[in-house]
Amino acid sequence: MFSDTLIEKLNSASNVVALTGAGASAESGIPTFRDPDGIWKQFQPGELASMEGFRRDPIRVQAWYTARRETVLEAEPNAGHFALVRLEQRVPNFTLISQNVDGLHARAGSVCLLELHGSLLDSICSECGKDSEPFDVAVDAEQPAKCECGGLLRPTVVWFGEMLNPSILERAWSAAAEADVFLSIGTGAEVHPAASLPLVAADNGAYVAEINPRRTAITGIVNEEVSAPAGIALPAIVNALTAPVT
Ligand code: OAD
């Protein structure tokens, strides 16, 4: 499934970075975006993940994010999430960069975590920017959820056409540039700037391994392809590491 080289590289690495995408949560029952049964095969991203779509139909968008929040709160972290927690405990400097907005890495216990695309679990006012309690809106609601200032509430998920949080992106970029080993896990690597991070790592000499049952946009540049689901590959990789010297 994976090479001895990957294990040797991880055993001797000072800096390890893992980038996760929707595939890392697939085994928790959360759908990915671009697989055949993915979210963006059923819904238009412009309607549900853009400011224009939100302004056109705020109740529909708030109801859709309310339902997604309920789905992720009912889900549980899987063996891949827990293996990444063990990897963090094993490596001197470990950074987990996630494109996922489901909060499952934090619930599993990952600490050095950069959530590049925000969170389904946090809400803010789209006008004044104030943090708010998560909104709870049904599809047939008569009014959208609003802030006390009258602005519409939205999740902190980064939508198409929006900038990522610059300080989070900068930390992710630096971690990728300094990585000895970079693991790209369960992402189709089609959405930038996240998809540039494995390339930044490769350009700076990292050993880049991809963990994904299917080929992706970056498979051609990686050092190693681990063609297996994350919930199987990650525990096996972490189990193969030698114990740290105490
Ligand atoms: P995609 O849906 O584009 O890609 C999911 C990847 O996960 C695919 O390459 C699958 O082959 C792989 N996969 C599926 N099951 C897997 C498993 N069990 N183990 C490992 N890999 C598996 O999702 P992302 O790359 O995450 O943006 O998409 C990037 C961004 O596009 C998302 O963050 C989202 C979306 O619009 C926001 O939410 C802001």
Side-chain angles (χ1 to χ4, degrees):
M1 189 182 351
F2 51 84
S3 71
D4 291 344
T5 307
L6 176 59
I7 299 307
E8 283 159 21
K9 297 272 181 191
L10 282 169
N11 274 331
S12 60
S14 301
N15 298 302
V16 174
V17 173
L19 169 70
T20 59
S25 293
E27 290 151 272
S28 295
I30 298 175
T32 63
F33 292 94
R34 295 173 188 80
D35 285 313
D37 54 352
I39 290 175
W40 296 150
K41 302 286 173 179
Q42 299 170 55
F43 299 103
Q44 291 295 327
E47 288 174 15
L48 295 164
S50 77
M51 187 46 93
E52 295 73 27
F54 179 54
R55 294 224 178 280
R56 263 196 304 274
D57 195 345
I59 294 176
R60 178 173 183 226
V61 174
Q62 287 180 343
W64 192 70
Y65 283 96
T66 300
R68 278 185 69 201
R69 190 183 75 238
E70 283 166 1
T71 301
V72 306
L73 287 174
E74 279 164 15
E76 295 294 336
N78 65 57
H81 293 109
F82 290 118
L84 287 170
V85 178
R86 287 165 54 216
L87 186 59
E88 175 168 12
Q89 291 161 353
R90 166 69 183 73
V91 167
N93 295 302
F94 180 81
T95 307
L96 176 54
I97 306 168
S98 188
Q99 298 166 85
N100 297 344
V101 294
D102 54 32
L104 288 178
H105 286 304
R107 279 172 57 198
S110 286
V111 177
C112 189
L113 169 64
L114 301 174
E115 290 182 315
L116 270 188
H117 291 170
S119 173
L120 273 176
L121 308 176
D122 298 324
S123 306
I124 51 163
C125 173
S126 59
E127 294 298 328
C128 72
K130 195 173 154 206
D131 290 340
S132 131
E133 288 299 307
F135 50 82
D136 203 350
V137 172
V139 216
D140 56 359
E142 287 179 4
Q143 289 294 323
K146 289 186 178 166
C147 172
E148 57 202 18
C149 81
L152 294 165
L153 297 180
R154 58 166 288 180
T156 62
V157 173
V158 179
W159 284 336
F160 289 99
E162 294 183 328
M163 300 270 293
L164 271 56
N165 178 311
S167 75
I168 294 179
L169 180 59
E170 195 183 312
R171 285 166 64 199
W173 210 268
S174 305
E178 285 164 19
D180 302 309
V181 179
F182 188 103
L183 305 174
S184 181
I185 304 161
T187 175
E190 290 182 32
V191 176
H192 290 267
S196 302
L197 295 168
L199 312 179
V200 169
D203 284 350
N204 285 279
Y207 187 82
V208 181
E210 178 171 63
I211 298 167
N212 196 314
R214 288 176 215 100
R215 293 179 64 81
T216 74
I218 58 154
T219 307
I221 69 102
V222 302
N223 299 96
E224 177 161 348
E225 212 183 317
V226 181
S227 298
I232 292 176
L234 285 168
I237 289 169
V238 176
N239 286 343
L241 301 178
T242 51
V245 180
T246 49

